[in-house]
Amino acid sequence: MESVKSRNFKSAIFFILSLLAVTYCPAQQRIPLYEGAVPNSKPTADRERDEPNAAVDTLTFQVSVPSLTVFLPPPEKANGTAVIICPGGGYHVLLTKREGSDIAREFTKLGVAAFVLRYRLPDDEILVDKSIGPLQDAQQAIRLVRERAGIWGINPAKIGIMGFSAGGHLAATAGTHFEKAAIENVRNTSLRPDFMLLINPVISMTDGVGHTGSRDNLLGAAPPLDQIQVFSNELHVDSLTPPTFLVHSDADVVVPVANSFIFYEALHKNKVTAGLYIYPTGEHGFLTAPTFDEWFGRCMYWMKELALL
């Protein structure tokens, strides 16, 4: 059995190597999310792959080894705020460029440190319990960024999470289920995001509101009612839920705008600072409308109002 001294030595080496990788990288660096074995994972070969896609540029498939890609702003611009970005993809794939690295680079221009999370995609072949795999990775990302905040020039009280579509569901899950750790958290580090940015998010797993594909991939084709309720995030909002900004299109035929409505209503009921903007037109993912500058600008305005920029 591994000794405490040996585990501490490995932890120190892991921390130093990760730190060196980021410190000496001129642009950004991808680092492993976990030290050693990945919790809740079955032994499997790493089959992750990126594939070109005409609509969204890049799709990432079969993530089984979660990671964070670190994007740090120039030191003279850094304002201490950080955002962990969860790309969407229906819990089947990840849009790691359009809803990942492209967004991260825009944040660094504003002085915000950004971290693109490649979270494990639910799959019975690689996960013991596929329903909690993504949440574990989101919580681990928050823990890791908060524990290394001083190294990366981040204010540990200004660490937010952003999610698109199913990535929005993951971000909202992290923001409503932070009191129960799904990971090892020896230091009892806060797993609560300080704010959330949810872009055309899946919120509910209920019939008629939630996105069926995301629910099937995360929970299976016929999940029990109690599991549906656990992952329907509108049911878990309380006064401690982080301040949240939501943006959606009323014309979204993939993820109904009702997802954003019901989450905002729950936030408002619990007196949580929140913002909601609904576009009258525009498809899911905002591929053609509204423009990036339009919807991202509204997120930035909301962040400025909360002194995050």
Side-chain angles (χ1 to χ4, degrees):
M1 190 172 182
E2 187 177 34
S3 67
V4 173
K5 183 177 181 180
S6 176
R7 286 199 302 272
N8 289 341
F9 176 76
K10 289 181 179 180
S11 297
I13 293 298
F14 175 80
F15 175 78
I16 292 169
L17 290 177
S18 297
L19 174 60
L20 289 174
V22 174
T23 302
Y24 292 104
C25 180
Q28 70 280 334
Q29 181 68 32
R30 185 176 171 189
I31 61 174
L33 193 58
Y34 297 93
E35 172 197 350
V38 180
N40 189 35
S41 282
K42 297 177 181 178
T44 182
D46 183 2
R47 297 174 294 169
E48 180 179 320
R49 69 186 190 279
D50 292 343
E51 292 186 3
N53 180 276
V56 297
D57 189 279
T58 303
L59 292 175
T60 299
F61 292 85
Q62 295 183 300
V63 176
S64 59
V65 181
S67 64
L68 274 183
T69 304
V70 183
F71 295 78
L72 299 180
E76 67 275 13
K77 279 193 172 184
N79 57 30
T81 298
V83 178
I84 297 165
I85 303 170
C86 304
Y91 284 124
H92 170 62
V93 299
L94 299 179
L95 281 67
T96 47
K97 185 176 185 299
R98 180 182 174 85
E99 298 177 354
S101 58
D102 287 353
I103 306 297
R105 291 188 177 94
E106 293 299 322
F107 272 119
T108 61
K109 294 176 184 177
L110 300 169
V112 176
F115 301 82
V116 178
L117 175 61
R118 293 194 179 208
Y119 52 92
R120 284 171 291 175
L121 293 166
D123 186 337
D124 290 324
E125 290 187 12
I126 68 166
L127 287 162
V128 178
D129 180 352
K130 69 179 183 179
S131 71
I132 66 167
L135 175 58
Q136 288 178 307
D137 296 346
Q139 288 190 344
Q140 175 72 1
I142 294 167
R143 186 192 70 80
L144 190 152
V145 172
R146 185 158 278 134
E147 290 181 359
R148 300 186 188 178
I151 301 298
W152 286 327
I154 294 167
N155 182 337
K158 291 187 176 182
I159 299 171
I161 193 165
M162 180 182 203
F164 298 78
S165 193
H169 181 267
L170 176 56
T173 305
T176 53
H177 293 70
F178 56 85
E179 291 184 336
K180 182 178 179 181
I183 56 168
E184 184 177 359
N185 188 17
V186 176
R187 300 188 195 178
N188 199 30
T189 299
S190 172
L191 302 178
R192 177 185 180 271
D194 295 301
F195 61 94
M196 296 192 286
L197 303 171
L198 306 181
I199 317 303
N200 45 74
V202 177
I203 292 294
S204 186
M205 292 281 132
T206 59
D207 291 333
V209 177
H211 179 239
T212 303
S214 296
R215 184 178 75 178
D216 289 353
N217 288 328
L218 183 66
L219 306 180
L225 179 60
D226 60 342
Q227 194 174 37
I228 290 173
Q229 292 176 336
V230 166
F231 289 94
S232 291
N233 293 313
E234 74 276 14
L235 303 178
H236 302 282
V237 173
D238 60 25
S239 62
L240 297 179
T241 301
T244 303
F245 181 74
L246 302 108
V247 60
H248 218 123
S249 167
D250 195 49
D252 193 330
V253 297
V254 178
V255 176
V257 70
N259 282 270
S260 287
F261 283 151
I262 59 176
F263 200 66
Y264 176 81
E265 289 173 351
L267 294 165
H268 183 70
K269 179 180 178 181
N270 284 276
K271 296 181 172 54
V272 175
T273 300
L276 169 66
Y277 193 85
I278 306 298
Y279 289 96
T281 60
E283 69 279 80
H284 184 69
F286 302 154
L287 298 179
T288 62
T291 65
F292 172 79
D293 288 344
E294 166 60 33
W295 71 260
F296 191 68
R298 293 188 184 276
C299 293
M300 297 308 98
Y301 181 81
W302 183 84
M303 290 179 68
K304 287 179 183 178
E305 288 187 312
L306 269 67
L308 296 167
L309 289 180

